[in-house]
Amino acid sequence: MSSDICARLGTRIRDLRKAQGWTQFEMAERSGIDRSYLAEVETGKIEICLRNLEVVAQTFGLELHQLMKFPKDK
């Protein structure tokens, strides 16, 4: 993944999390993924593996392709 896609994906995950009203801690508890790892994903600092990406999608009740649907850039 390029850093641009990592940043866009991180923003998408953060926006979805906030739309649910969850803190990073709550998201970590729901997904079973470490909070500090989620924080780095949300800021685009690290690449998320495919397995964790699927877990994140499932945590939001989404299919993987729905998680990857980015809003149009303004």
Side-chain angles (χ1 to χ4, degrees):
M1 276 189 227
S2 72
S3 61
D4 179 53
I5 191 68
C6 289
R8 290 178 66 207
L9 179 58
T11 298
R12 171 89 169 126
I13 292 170
R14 184 188 66 232
D15 291 347
L16 288 168
R17 175 181 59 77
K18 287 185 174 185
Q20 294 293 321
W22 300 339
T23 64
Q24 286 181 344
F25 182 77
E26 291 169 319
M27 175 74 181
E29 284 188 330
R30 291 171 184 273
S31 66
I33 297 174
D34 185 73
R35 189 215 54 85
S36 61
Y37 176 80
L38 285 171
E40 289 188 287
V41 168
E42 286 187 3
T43 57
K45 292 181 181 176
I46 61 171
E47 296 180 9
I48 187 170
C49 75
L50 188 56
R51 285 190 175 106
N52 285 339
L53 195 58
E54 183 176 40
V55 168
V56 168
Q58 290 172 347
T59 301
F60 290 124
L62 300 173
E63 296 290 328
L64 190 55
H65 72 275
Q66 294 170 306
L67 179 64
M68 300 300 293
K69 186 174 181 181
F70 299 106
K72 299 283 185 196
D73 293 329
K74 294 181 181 181

